[in-house]
Amino acid sequence: MAVSGSGGRPAGRVRLLGRALALALLSPVGLALLVLVAVTAVLVPLWVGVPLLLLALALLRRFANLHRSWAGRTLGVEIPSPYRPARERGWFARLKVVARDPASWRDLAWLPLDATVGTLLRLLPLALLLAGLAGLAVPAIWPLLPAGTDLGYLGLVRVTDQPSANLVALEGVLVLLLWGWATPRLARTDAHLARLLLGPTERARLASRVAELTETRAETVDTQAAELRRIERDLHDGVQARLVALGMSLGMADEAVGADPDAARELLAEARQATSQALAELRDVVRGIHPPVLADRGLDGAVRALALASPLPTDVQVDLPGRLPAPVESAAYFAVAEALTNVIKHSQASRCWVRLRHAAGRLVMEVGDDGKGGAEPAGGSGLPGIRRRLAAFDGTLVVTSPPGGPTVVSMELPCESSSPKTSPSSGTG
């Protein structure tokens, strides 16, 4: 695995060396934190040690997270934080959660190893580099030394004259080659050690996954309940009211058909109009549940229909291998629709775009605009609703929206295609 994307070049090795020196200088900080945790733990029976121990453990976790971040950049992977959430109120309750977290004890066990083995792995590249450079400098320094000087053995060569000094330079070249070969490997070894001790265990990953699924399931149930209430409200306040009015108009027309035919015709005309309105509202309700265009034309055609209906010029590019599973298509459609609605309502943009593609078993969606930016994922712009909808399918939502724009909402859903491609791959809406 490549180291930080550039470990194979001299500049990459120098960068790794700088990172290793920074970590080596921080090793005494880790030992100081270990001592601080031990001292504050002794003070816990005096009560004052409880907040001090929580503070020490919080500093230790920040220190460990820093190493996770550096190790992740070196290995080119993300090393997630393995800690259990401590949402309890009160110092003793939080301390109990932290003390029962295996990740806390693994942090403490990692500190001495980081200060010894870790420091050795980080300082060895510097020692090789200095030894190589010193060997190269010996031939230039030798003429400046007094005659008859015997420098003794430098590496495998005893330096007594200029030719032997030149051999030391050859040694320096070999040591520099060894430095170039060993530096990324030592960095990877150090990073793998941190990942092994500081990364989440399989048990922790499973527990985190269970907690995530429990949370997303609860959010999905709440979302479905809210959707059912919305449908019930739309039917009650819209279609049902129209049908009640339609029944009253037909009853009045039935009573007036013999005595006042003109009035009966007017009532029948009103009933016909009410029928059309009720049908239109019923179609709107059905469209909110599962748009017919989605069932007929798939996600590609449905998103293009959204773009055509948008008041902003909307460019659409789609690269899908075919039809996706119906639940995934529905979730993706409504997520894109909500994102486009946010653009229209909040972005003050002049144009927007939608990109859909399927790669590595994931549906990747991007909705962007050239508006004012500054969108807050946790705000009231509808983005939390999109996040909840995607979370039901283990999907993700990432919002990039610097002040001044552009805003890009990136969404992903794990899925596999379910039928061959039947629609064009790209185009402009």
Side-chain angles (χ1 to χ4, degrees):
M1 183 177 295
V3 178
S4 190
S6 58
R9 298 189 297 270
R13 291 181 174 85
V14 172
R15 190 180 303 112
L16 289 176
L17 179 63
R19 183 182 300 171
L21 290 178
L23 291 176
L25 293 175
L26 286 176
S27 295
V29 176
L31 291 178
L33 286 173
L34 182 61
V35 173
L36 180 61
V37 170
V39 172
T40 53
V42 173
L43 297 176
V44 166
L46 302 179
W47 184 84
V48 68
V50 176
L52 293 178
L53 181 56
L54 284 173
L55 176 61
L57 290 173
L59 292 175
L60 173 57
R61 290 188 171 189
R62 285 182 174 271
F63 185 71
N65 282 332
L66 178 64
H67 281 73
R68 288 187 189 94
S69 176
W70 272 338
R73 285 200 294 269
T74 300
L75 297 174
V77 298
E78 181 182 0
I79 302 178
S81 179
Y83 304 116
R84 297 174 181 173
R87 302 186 179 94
E88 288 75 6
R89 293 186 177 182
W91 288 342
F92 283 102
R94 295 186 62 187
L95 180 59
K96 185 182 296 185
V97 173
V98 175
R100 290 179 176 177
D101 190 348
S104 300
W105 297 98
R106 294 176 69 210
D107 286 353
L108 293 172
W110 161 76
L111 284 175
L113 194 62
D114 175 71
T116 52
V117 178
T119 301
L120 177 63
L121 291 173
R122 295 159 197 160
L123 292 182
L124 189 55
L126 177 63
L128 291 174
L129 178 62
L130 294 179
L133 294 177
L136 292 178
V138 169
I141 296 175
W142 178 258
L144 305 178
L145 299 178
T149 300
D150 186 349
L151 294 180
Y153 281 95
L154 297 181
L156 300 177
V157 179
R158 182 175 180 179
V159 182
T160 57
D161 52 19
Q162 187 67 45
S164 59
N166 295 337
L167 288 178
V168 175
L170 179 60
E171 274 189 339
V173 172
L174 295 177
V175 171
L176 287 178
L177 292 175
L178 178 62
W179 169 79
W181 177 85
T183 295
R185 288 162 177 79
L186 291 172
R188 282 201 298 269
T189 301
D190 186 21
H192 279 301
L193 183 64
R195 183 183 185 184
L196 176 65
L197 296 177
L198 297 180
T201 61
E202 288 300 323
R203 184 176 180 180
R205 288 192 182 96
L206 179 60
S208 175
R209 180 63 176 157
V210 170
E212 180 183 355
L213 290 176
T214 301
E215 182 179 355
T216 55
R217 183 182 64 179
E219 291 180 348
T220 301
V221 170
D222 292 341
T223 302
Q224 290 177 341
E227 188 69 10
L228 288 174
R229 288 193 297 269
R230 181 192 67 81
I231 295 172
E232 179 185 9
R233 184 172 57 253
D234 291 346
L235 291 174
H236 180 274
D237 297 341
V239 178
Q240 178 176 297
R242 296 290 182 189
L243 293 177
V244 170
L246 173 61
M248 293 177 61
S249 297
L250 291 175
M252 294 171 61
D254 182 54
E255 294 176 359
V257 68
D260 191 351
D262 293 335
R265 280 193 293 271
E266 291 180 3
L267 290 171
L268 289 174
E270 292 178 2
R272 188 182 301 111
Q273 184 179 3
T275 303
S276 300
Q277 293 174 344
L279 183 60
E281 291 179 359
L282 186 59
R283 286 172 176 166
D284 289 338
V285 173
V286 173
R287 190 177 298 112
I289 300 173
H290 192 80
V293 67
L294 188 60
D296 296 338
R297 300 170 55 190
L299 184 60
D300 188 345
V303 170
R304 294 182 188 280
L306 285 174
L308 291 174
S310 172
L312 293 177
T314 304
D315 177 71
V316 178
Q317 292 186 3
V318 180
D319 184 9
L320 299 178
R323 294 298 298 267
L324 305 176
V328 173
E329 282 193 337
S330 179
Y333 171 82
F334 284 110
V336 171
E338 182 64 32
L340 286 175
T341 301
N342 289 341
V343 172
I344 296 169
K345 287 184 177 179
H346 307 292
S347 69
Q348 300 179 9
S350 61
R351 58 179 294 272
C352 58
W353 61 90
V354 180
R355 307 284 186 268
L356 274 71
R357 60 186 176 88
H358 187 273
R362 300 184 71 84
L363 172 62
V364 182
M365 303 166 284
E366 287 187 359
V367 178
D369 64 75
D370 61 353
K372 63 180 181 179
E376 291 291 339
S381 59
L383 294 175
I386 299 177
R387 190 187 302 275
R388 286 192 298 270
R389 186 184 296 274
L390 299 179
F393 297 86
D394 283 344
T396 59
L397 170 71
V398 177
V399 180
T400 304
S401 184
T407 296
V408 179
V409 178
S410 302
M411 302 165 282
E412 290 190 10
L413 282 173
C415 68
E416 297 292 343
S417 61
S418 59
S419 67
K421 181 185 291 186
T422 57
S423 57
S425 61
S426 64
T428 304

